[in-house]
Structure formats: structure tokens, C-alpha cells
Amino acid sequence: MRTIPLGRTGEQVSQLALGCMLMGTSTDEPDSFAILDRYVAAGGSFLDTADCYAWWPGPGYTGGESESVLGRWFARSGRRDEVFLATKGSAWVADPQAARAGRLTDREKYAGAGGDTLRHALDGSLRRLGTDHVDLYYVHVDDLHTPLEETLEALAGLVAAGKTRYIGWSNVTTWRLERIRQLCDRYGWPAPVALQQEHTYLRRHPGRDTVSVVDDEQLRYLQAHDDLTLVAYSPILKGVYDDPAKQRDLGQMHTYRGADSDARLATVGRLAGELGITGTQLVLAWMLHQESPRRVALIGPRTPAQYESTAVGLDVKLDATVLETLDAAGA
């Protein structure tokens, strides 16, 4: 499994990261352990979770299940020191039942990025994970209602206390990211080294406004700032590249739907058929071939079989003609 630099930290991380979002809920513990074992056996070392994973699969789930499963896997395997462990705070949901019913706005739903909130959140994450530190701690959902100075000072304190080695940000606009970096430079606080955003082969429809999806401006920003590494979540869009029903009905497609995406989906289908692989495998391989900016592909398989099928993309080599055809596709 290939590795790439994490910003300018000197760390090398697996270019394929394993998202543990559904572990302990939709994915039971035996399957979770099986996926983790297979990923690490293949040379993977970048694990991603969050304190809020996962309250939404159904009644009885409150968040923290994923971190708890990882903690039990670390205790069983003894492999904590072999992995680069990332978790997130600020998106904890205090009332999952109301959130599942859709009765809360994002501001009402999420805990936010206040200083005390993040300090208590990371302590809770460390208890569930059974470790004294994480390697990377993200602000999960950018909080426009808390002064950035408060959030950044708290994060700097967590780094100084040894509870996290690095910080990152997720679901954030480019202008906010620049403001964060300016404040870190002004006050000498640790700056983010990772940006986790939704990113796939399809391009965001220009009429859709969402802070969570990388757009052309953010990609250009990352090209100019190699101290930030893009961690791309939902790179395979829940299997949409191989499923016409998902192309039609998947909620996430609202962000991408249009003639440009139609053309790109058709190109993926044609090239995957010619290469004898699935569309999912082709898109993952395309992601791993990207160099400007380099990016980590974060997958979250629900079953061991899904992991095995998706991971085939690691071994797919795309020549220049295929890459040029993929990049040129669109309306």
C-alpha cells in the first residue's frame, strides 16, 4: 500500500485510509475486526473515526460506538502504535432521537467547537479508544458561532498536553480555512495539516452550495499550500459508479447531478468495461493517481466483502491515455 506525506509534518500516511464510521452499528464487531485486520495486513495504517459515529443507524445508537470498537480492537491486537489514528470533535449530537426525526437545525444538533466542548470531547474519545493520544484531531463541522480564536487556542492546548499530535479541519470553506491559517501564524498555534472534505471523480454542480464538497477553488488552494493534505471522504459515493439506481436516487447525487456528471458516469462505465474492472475500482484508482494536489482516499466499507472488492483499486494501474480520457470527460 502506497504512502504519501501528511503536509510537511514528516509523517507518511497510507494513501488509502480506512473509515470506521459504521463499526459498532451497521457493521457488527466481528466484521469490524475482520476489516481492520485485513486492512492492516495489507499495509494500511491510517484509521479514521469520530466521537459522533454513529448515532443515525437507528434507535439505541448514541455515538461513540465506533471509537469503542476500535478501543477493543487495539486491546485485542496490540496494534495501536502501528497505526496513524484520527478522530474528530464538534459534531457530537446530544439528542439523537430528535436528530433522527429531523427536528433540529445543525446549530441545535451539533455540540460545536467551543474550547471546553473540544477538551471534554477529546477526553471522551481517548477513554473509548483506550489510548492516551490520537495522531490527528479534526474539527468535524466548522462552527461559525464560536470565535476561531477560542477553538484554535483550545486545540493548541490539546497538542501541548500531548493528547493529539496534529490538528485538522473538515466541512469548511476555503475562506475560513485561510482565516484559520492566518490566526495560527499570528499567534503561533499549530495549524491544520489535513483537510477532510467530500471529494470524488464527479464534480460539484456549480449551482449547488455546500461547504463539505471540494470545489475547483479549494483544489487550487491546496495546490498552492502543500502543508495541507486533502483527505477525500466518499470517494466512491456509496457505490454509485456501478449502480444506476443509486445514480438516480442517492441523496448525495443532488450535489453532482447534471450533464457534466452524466458524461463522467458514462465515461467511467465505458472505461471500466474495457479494463475489466468495476466503476468503483476505476474511480478509486483515478483518485490514487492524482498528484496535484496529492490526496488520501478515505473509504468506509460496511462489510469485509465490500472492503475486498474496493481495495482491488489499489492494484489498478492507469496509463496516461486513460487518465487523460477521465480528466477530459464532462459537458
Side-chain angles (χ1 to χ4, degrees):
M1 191 173 300
R2 294 184 295 275
T3 62
I4 65 170
L6 181 69
R8 299 179 193 156
T9 64
E11 301 281 349
Q12 291 282 325
V13 295
S14 300
Q15 197 177 14
L16 183 71
L18 181 62
C20 305
M21 181 173 71
L22 298 178
M23 293 182 180
T25 53
S26 300
T27 306
D28 64 22
E29 189 156 311
D31 278 354
S32 298
F33 283 12
I35 294 169
L36 289 160
D37 289 340
R38 293 178 192 185
Y39 172 73
V40 173
S45 61
F46 194 173
L47 302 181
D48 180 273
T49 186
D51 63 349
C52 66
Y53 293 164
W55 54 267
W56 54 88
Y61 298 129
T62 61
E65 290 87 356
S66 170
E67 290 178 329
S68 295
V69 165
L70 279 171
R72 291 191 288 274
W73 181 75
F74 290 139
R76 189 208 71 172
S77 67
R79 308 193 84 155
R80 167 63 188 95
D81 293 338
E82 298 178 32
V83 301
F84 190 89
L85 176 61
T87 194
K88 314 179 195 75
S90 79
W92 178 266
V93 171
D95 190 345
Q97 184 175 351
R100 283 190 291 268
R103 297 198 299 266
L104 304 176
T105 65
D106 282 354
R107 186 174 183 182
E108 295 167 331
K109 181 167 59 177
Y110 297 133
D116 285 342
T117 299
L118 291 176
R119 285 186 282 268
H120 291 311
L122 183 52
D123 284 344
S125 291
L126 295 177
R127 284 194 299 272
R128 287 185 291 272
L129 290 162
T131 186
D132 62 357
H133 76 284
V134 294
D135 298 292
L136 176 62
Y137 192 55
Y138 291 98
V139 172
H140 197 165
V141 176
D142 191 31
D143 178 2
L144 296 175
H145 305 289
T146 298
L148 277 172
E149 292 86 346
E150 178 183 344
T151 299
L152 289 164
E153 187 173 25
L155 291 169
L158 294 173
V159 173
K163 294 182 178 182
T164 183
R165 298 171 62 210
Y166 307 106
I167 69 164
W169 229 270
S170 184
N171 302 302
V172 61
T173 56
T174 306
W175 73 265
R176 282 277 288 183
L177 190 60
E178 175 61 17
R179 178 64 175 153
I180 289 162
R181 289 161 52 86
Q182 288 177 357
L183 287 170
C184 290
D185 183 62
R186 178 185 302 173
Y187 293 107
W189 292 326
V193 301
L195 171 67
Q196 188 174 136
Q197 298 281 90
E198 183 176 319
H199 177 51
T200 186
Y201 170 67
L202 300 184
R203 294 179 287 214
R204 190 180 85 177
H205 189 286
R208 308 288 187 261
D209 185 19
T210 172
V211 302
S212 300
V213 180
V214 169
D215 60 9
D216 288 344
E217 179 187 35
Q218 204 158 68
L219 286 174
R220 288 193 297 270
Y221 186 87
L222 290 164
Q223 287 169 347
H225 298 93
D226 65 359
D227 55 330
L228 265 174
T229 294
L230 174 59
V231 179
Y233 74 81
S234 290
I236 59 175
L237 277 181
K238 299 181 179 178
V240 75
Y241 295 98
D242 296 302
D243 190 335
K246 287 184 177 180
Q247 293 171 19
R248 183 184 65 244
D249 301 329
L250 183 68
Q252 275 176 281
M253 282 297 293
H254 170 77
T255 305
Y256 303 99
R257 200 175 308 282
D260 185 75
S261 289
D262 291 343
R264 290 204 147 202
L265 287 166
T267 299
V268 167
R270 176 175 62 81
L271 289 175
E274 292 173 0
L275 294 169
I277 57 177
T278 69
T280 292
Q281 292 160 356
L282 175 59
V283 166
L284 182 61
W286 170 85
M287 178 79 71
L288 298 176
H289 278 72
Q290 300 308 299
E291 302 244 341
S292 182
R294 286 177 296 199
R295 56 209 82 175
V296 171
L298 173 62
I299 63 168
R302 187 175 55 82
T303 67
Q306 284 182 355
Y307 169 75
E308 296 291 353
S309 176
T310 303
V312 170
L314 286 167
D315 299 319
V316 173
K317 306 300 182 189
L318 303 178
D319 63 28
T321 300
V322 172
L323 289 169
E324 288 167 4
T325 301
L326 286 167
D327 290 339

